[in-house]
Amino acid sequence: MRERRMEWSWGAVFLGVAAALTGCAPDTGEAKAIPLTEQQALAACSYVITTNTYVGADWWGTLVFKNTGTAAMTSPTIAFGVPSGVVCDYDEPGWTHTQSGTTCTYSRTSGLTVAVNASYTFYYSTSSSTSFTAANVSISDPSCGSTPPPTGTGLSANQKKVSEDLTSIWENDTPNIDYAYSENIQDGRGYTNGRAGFCTGTGDAIQVIQCYVNLRSAANGNLMAKYMSGLTTINNRFLSTGEDQASTAELDSVGNWRADWATSYNNTTTRADFKSCQDQISDKLYYTPAMTEAAKWGLTQALSKAALYDAFINHGESGARSMIRSANTALGNSGQVAPVIGYNGITENAWLQKFLEKRRDVLASDSTWIDAVDRVAAYEKLRRKGNWDLGTAFRNDVRARDCWGTTYPASGYTVRAINPDGTWSTPASYTYSCQ
């Protein structure tokens, strides 16, 4: 069972871009890049910027830097300033970015070596049709020294495992994350794949495959490398139309996509790389943005973070953020003052209750997604029982009708018992209840 709402809004068609990679659910009417809570803080390197241009007519920026240090760079991070109101909105293959105010920071999703005295050309795009010169360009790299990323802003390892167990029940009807899964569920988004339902027609499956190609070549056993051309064609069509792409013809003409996806995980030789890429892209598109939102709004409890994490996977970034705004407004914070917890006496308990109600309403109002409404009830039951740290074993033996009335259909998820360490079992008997 695969359930997810993807939404798309775009500010510009990128001219001259061969394969623009986008998340499965970019922002609707908002900046697509948002700050991440866990960035690597890297020391500055020795370099020279030899080209710094942004051509507004092409929506295209170019930075060329030369490594003048004494050691090769292995995973450079590039940061620079853009004019006020401008949004960085494109990631070249192998790169991902965040934006805080007017500063855009690009980091690698895979290794990149820039040898001593070698130059590297970096491309980017923004929402601006006016030419400018990037300000305060900074290059950093682990080879130049680093400090560890901040801690304590996300979920603990066990809490994240429990959270992902729950989401996997909604996605696969089992807490076991299904990295090998691939199916055309006829939802208009092509093949749906892997641990988070990466779609070939919405711009996220291509990110997994690009990551995998960066780690392993076709000659080295990468069965998915041959699909990059077809994925790029589909992704370009997705970008140019702003519509999800149902067709898989470009993939089917090359090989058996579903079988190759499954084999890439099931083959013990390639499994680690393929799994790593799915984990990286899932964290990039869903987990990290969810934890960023939790920190922004002052949410400190694991249950709230888990509920946000699942919402980001189910509804995409823009959908989840829309529900956050709706919850804030319903609680009297129409100005979206952050943090919301503590604002005019708003508690985390009250906020999570309202957020879940708003999410319930979004699912229930859509004929396609109403069958998924029970997934929201699981978090409501945990809220009512006070399992804020996810430190007590629980079951998903609850339906929306148990929490909010009998007007909601039953989703039919298999009931599982989940332990605080993420291990699980299937209970022999259970009783549906929201208490």
Side-chain angles (χ1 to χ4, degrees):
M1 180 180 297
R2 290 281 161 167
E3 303 159 348
R4 198 173 33 162
R5 172 185 301 279
M6 274 69 74
E7 301 175 39
W8 170 248
S9 175
W10 51 315
V13 176
F14 308 132
L15 305 180
V17 178
L21 304 184
T22 72
C24 206
D27 268 346
T28 299
E30 299 180 10
K32 281 181 277 185
I34 64 173
L36 304 183
T37 55
E38 297 185 6
Q39 296 185 42
Q40 185 77 19
L42 303 174
C45 298
S46 178
Y47 57 89
V48 174
I49 305 297
T50 57
T51 301
N52 180 359
T53 61
Y54 180 86
V55 181
D58 295 335
W59 312 88
W60 200 242
T62 304
L63 291 171
V64 180
F65 67 90
K66 181 178 181 180
N67 179 8
T68 58
T70 58
M73 297 182 184
T74 57
S75 186
T77 294
I78 303 173
F80 54 91
V82 296
S84 178
V86 171
V87 177
C88 294
D89 54 13
Y90 168 67
D91 294 335
E92 279 273 277
W95 292 91
T96 184
H97 80 277
T98 65
Q99 184 164 348
S100 180
T102 59
T103 300
C104 299
T105 302
Y106 287 77
S107 56
R108 293 291 300 177
T109 60
S110 58
L112 170 69
T113 299
V114 182
V116 175
N117 293 323
S119 293
Y120 180 80
T121 301
F122 172 79
Y123 299 110
Y124 66 97
S125 182
T126 79
S127 60
S128 177
S129 60
T130 302
S131 298
F132 62 85
T133 300
N136 303 316
V137 179
S138 174
I139 314 295
S140 52
D141 187 83
S143 66
C144 311
S146 66
T147 57
T151 59
T153 56
L155 295 166
S156 70
N158 280 348
Q159 289 167 344
K160 189 180 183 191
K161 179 66 169 63
V162 168
S163 178
E164 291 175 342
D165 281 356
L166 267 178
T167 295
S168 188
I169 292 174
W170 321 137
E171 296 287 330
N172 300 304
D173 206 35
T174 172
N176 286 337
I177 295 176
D178 194 352
Y179 291 91
Y181 173 86
S182 181
E183 184 179 1
N184 189 336
I185 61 176
Q186 305 301 322
D187 63 350
R189 302 179 180 101
Y191 289 119
T192 301
N193 311 275
R195 61 161 296 162
F198 305 109
C199 296
T200 57
T202 60
D204 51 354
I206 190 174
Q207 297 190 54
V208 174
I209 303 309
Q210 181 63 66
C211 170
Y212 189 37
V213 168
N214 290 340
L215 293 180
R216 183 178 289 271
S217 66
N220 198 26
N222 184 344
L223 297 177
M224 304 306 294
K226 61 181 176 285
Y227 296 104
M228 273 305 300
S229 178
L231 283 171
T232 299
T233 298
I234 293 170
N235 198 59
N236 286 344
R237 193 164 62 241
F238 167 60
L239 286 176
S240 66
T241 64
E243 297 176 353
D244 298 340
Q245 298 298 304
S247 174
T248 60
E250 292 85 353
L251 309 176
D252 299 336
S253 65
V254 174
N256 188 331
W257 169 278
R258 293 182 60 197
D260 287 341
W261 181 285
T263 299
S264 297
Y265 179 73
N266 292 329
N267 186 329
T268 56
T269 300
T270 59
R271 176 181 298 163
D273 288 344
F274 197 53
K275 177 180 181 297
S276 174
C277 284
Q278 291 193 46
D279 290 341
Q280 287 181 46
I281 302 305
S282 180
D283 279 356
K284 168 190 169 184
L285 297 180
Y286 308 120
Y287 177 70
T288 303
M291 296 307 102
T292 297
E293 288 296 299
K296 173 182 177 180
W297 299 108
L299 304 172
T300 62
Q301 300 296 328
L303 175 58
S304 302
K305 296 174 183 179
L308 279 184
Y309 186 17
D310 184 66
F312 268 73
I313 291 176
N314 188 198
H315 302 269
E317 182 175 334
S318 64
R321 293 174 76 177
S322 177
M323 290 183 291
I324 290 171
R325 292 191 297 270
S326 294
N328 290 344
T329 299
L331 291 169
N333 184 15
S334 59
Q336 306 301 315
V337 175
V340 65
I341 306 306
Y343 175 74
N344 286 346
I346 297 173
T347 65
E348 188 157 346
N349 185 49
W351 188 91
L352 181 59
Q353 177 182 359
K354 190 59 63 178
F355 173 79
L356 294 174
E357 290 172 355
K358 294 299 180 182
R359 185 181 178 198
R360 173 204 65 194
D361 293 346
V362 166
L363 290 172
S365 65
D366 189 296
S367 59
T368 301
W369 299 104
I370 190 171
D371 288 339
V373 72
D374 284 354
R375 72 191 289 168
V376 185
Y379 302 96
E380 174 63 11
K381 180 172 183 175
L382 290 168
R383 185 193 69 82
R384 294 187 186 187
K385 294 180 73 69
N387 196 353
W388 289 99
D389 65 352
L390 304 178
T392 302
F394 63 89
R395 300 175 179 180
N396 62 304
D397 52 355
V398 60
R399 301 160 300 186
R401 63 177 65 176
D402 303 316
C403 298
W404 299 295
T406 59
T407 59
Y408 301 101
S411 300
Y413 300 116
T414 302
V415 173
R416 312 290 187 178
I418 300 178
N419 298 314
D421 63 355
T423 58
W424 62 277
S425 61
T426 303
S429 63
Y430 52 86
T431 301
Y432 285 114
S433 169
C434 200
Q435 302 297 330

